Amino acid sequence: MAHTRRTPASPFTRRDGLRLAAAGTVAAGLGALSPAALAAGRRPTDGPAPSEVAAAGEGLAPGVTAHVAVTATTLWVEPDSARPGIDDPSLTNPVDLDAWNANMQDTEPRRWLTGELESQAVLGSEVIVDEVVGDWAHIVVTAQPTPRDPRGYPGWVPTVQLVVDEDFAAQAASASTATVTAVTSVLSGTPSGNHPGIPVSFDTILPVLGRTAKAVKVAIPGGRAAYLPADDVAVRAPGERPPRPTAEDIVATGERFLGLRYLWAGVSAYGFDCSGYTYTLFHHHGITIDRDAGDQMHDSGLEPVERADLQRGDLVFFATEPGGSSIRHVALYLGDDLIMQAPNAARSVEVMSLSEYDPIGEYAGARRVQLAG
């Protein structure tokens, strides 16, 4: 199923893959603010150059902590398994995720990703490197919980999309942060937005280096400072968490992505799978749940809810067969028998009737995240 993910305990959960392969064509000008370009194009006003910052892909070794240096990196099940001419835009630095989506307008090329990809991680995400084989690194994404690895979510990514940057790591641990609240924004070289560079996704979190009336100066992995429009981010003090959301907050955030095409393994504004959607909605509001649907039900420690007691904002789960325990899908309950979901490769984020979605009784249960109000 396109919206399931495999785990060791179940062949149907969502363990399925990730790959990236050679370099591809990207849109003109997209690399103007890639980490490599930013590092090379420093101005005296940008402050000192990062100390001992490797270029993208350099300095990677088992045990090293690195950070994602592109809009979003895609984790594959196996290295070198991507499709030439289709997946190329997702494998480069910078990536062009719009071009990648355009290459998969038809359902079958998009459905092919099922079982080939594991997850995604957005710009600035911390990863731990386990292995480097040629142009690929096996990593875990520390912000995405899974029973598969206590350190984070595993998969293979192109080495060119990672940067080892000790300065960025220190800033991420101690500075104020800017969380992207816009669906997408664009890094720029000046506070006024001149010299636009790579896009950034919703829920990207970057260290703050300064502020102006209209822009926030942020650090990016492996590069000099860049700017995001102040209206596109929420700035929080070091250690500050988002306010506890209400169910209405979660639903309103989810509604912003209605119509966004499903993407297996997606956790960004360029596409979600079912559990990537629910994971991101809660993560954006400061609540971390497991990355995969089956784990969100069985391993996140969330409160079980009887179907008769469902409330707006609950997570509802569906099995691979009536009465089964292997979870293939998760959706957000809206009340009045409605769910909001990222359903499968043929469709987009949508609202529909729970009963209509589940005509043969695959409903497997519900869990409640403790919210405000």
Side-chain angles (χ1 to χ4, degrees):
M1 301 296 228
H3 44 307
T4 64
R5 199 183 281 271
R6 257 180 282 177
T7 66
S10 165
F12 296 98
T13 14
R14 167 189 177 102
R15 181 198 181 102
D16 306 346
L18 273 48
R19 325 92 54 112
L20 298 60
T25 302
V26 295
L30 196 61
L33 281 178
S34 68
L38 287 169
R42 300 180 61 80
R43 302 170 298 178
T45 55
D46 291 327
S51 60
E52 301 181 4
V53 173
E58 294 184 2
L60 300 176
V64 165
T65 296
H67 289 84
V68 175
V70 293
T71 304
T73 189
T74 302
L75 284 72
W76 295 73
V77 171
E78 300 291 345
D80 293 318
S81 52
R83 300 160 293 178
I86 297 179
D87 301 315
D88 294 346
S90 72
L91 310 176
T92 50
N93 184 348
V95 294
D96 188 346
L97 300 180
D98 285 327
W100 190 32
N101 272 318
N103 289 343
M104 299 184 292
Q105 286 297 309
D106 294 337
T107 297
E108 286 311 309
R110 189 168 292 258
R111 181 176 289 140
W112 179 91
L113 297 173
T114 304
E116 302 294 333
L117 305 183
E118 296 280 15
S119 188
Q120 286 183 324
V122 296
L123 178 69
S125 297
E126 179 188 83
V127 306
I128 299 170
V129 178
D130 277 344
E131 184 180 3
V132 179
V133 177
D135 296 331
W136 290 80
H138 190 268
I139 63 168
V140 297
V141 181
T142 59
Q144 296 180 15
T146 172
R148 295 170 57 188
D149 192 314
R151 301 169 302 160
Y153 210 94
W156 290 90
V157 302
T159 57
V160 73
Q161 295 182 346
L162 303 177
V163 165
V164 178
D165 185 339
E166 294 179 1
D167 285 356
F168 181 87
Q171 291 160 341
S174 62
S176 297
T177 58
T179 299
V180 177
T181 54
V183 171
T184 60
S185 188
V186 177
L187 291 166
S188 60
T190 67
S192 61
N194 294 329
H195 308 297
I198 64 172
V200 292
S201 170
F202 176 82
D203 204 38
T204 296
I205 303 174
L206 297 170
V208 172
L209 302 179
R211 302 183 68 171
T212 70
K214 294 185 178 181
V216 176
K217 186 178 184 179
V218 295
I220 58 172
R224 66 168 170 82
Y227 295 88
L228 288 168
D231 290 344
D232 287 356
V233 300
V235 175
R236 297 187 176 95
E240 180 185 359
R241 299 180 61 81
R244 195 75 176 178
T246 64
E248 294 308 314
D249 293 330
I250 299 295
V251 171
T253 298
E255 288 174 340
R256 298 175 65 192
F257 297 98
L258 290 172
L260 177 67
R261 185 75 178 272
Y262 176 99
L263 179 68
W264 174 265
V267 296
S268 80
Y270 295 88
F272 296 105
D273 64 11
C274 67
S275 57
Y277 180 57
T278 52
Y279 165 85
T280 301
L281 296 187
F282 286 97
H283 184 266
H284 188 69
H285 289 280
I287 299 171
T288 299
I289 60 177
D290 279 47
R291 167 61 180 86
D292 290 342
D295 304 327
Q296 289 176 8
M297 179 170 179
H298 295 304
D299 295 293
S300 285
L302 301 176
E303 176 189 354
V305 179
E306 295 297 326
R307 186 162 183 169
D309 298 326
L310 282 173
Q311 295 179 5
R312 191 167 168 89
D314 288 343
L315 295 173
V316 292
F317 298 89
F318 302 87
T320 56
E321 60 185 357
S325 60
S326 179
I327 302 302
R328 64 169 183 82
H329 186 57
V330 59
L332 187 74
Y333 188 69
L334 301 182
D336 298 325
D337 195 47
L338 295 176
I339 57 175
M340 187 160 55
Q341 61 177 352
N344 58 51
R347 290 152 66 183
S348 302
V349 177
E350 64 184 12
V351 172
M352 71 177 301
S353 162
L354 187 160
S355 300
E356 179 184 352
Y357 176 77
D358 183 35
I360 64 172
E362 294 175 334
Y363 181 88
R367 297 291 184 266
R368 178 168 298 157
V369 178
Q370 293 303 313
L371 303 172

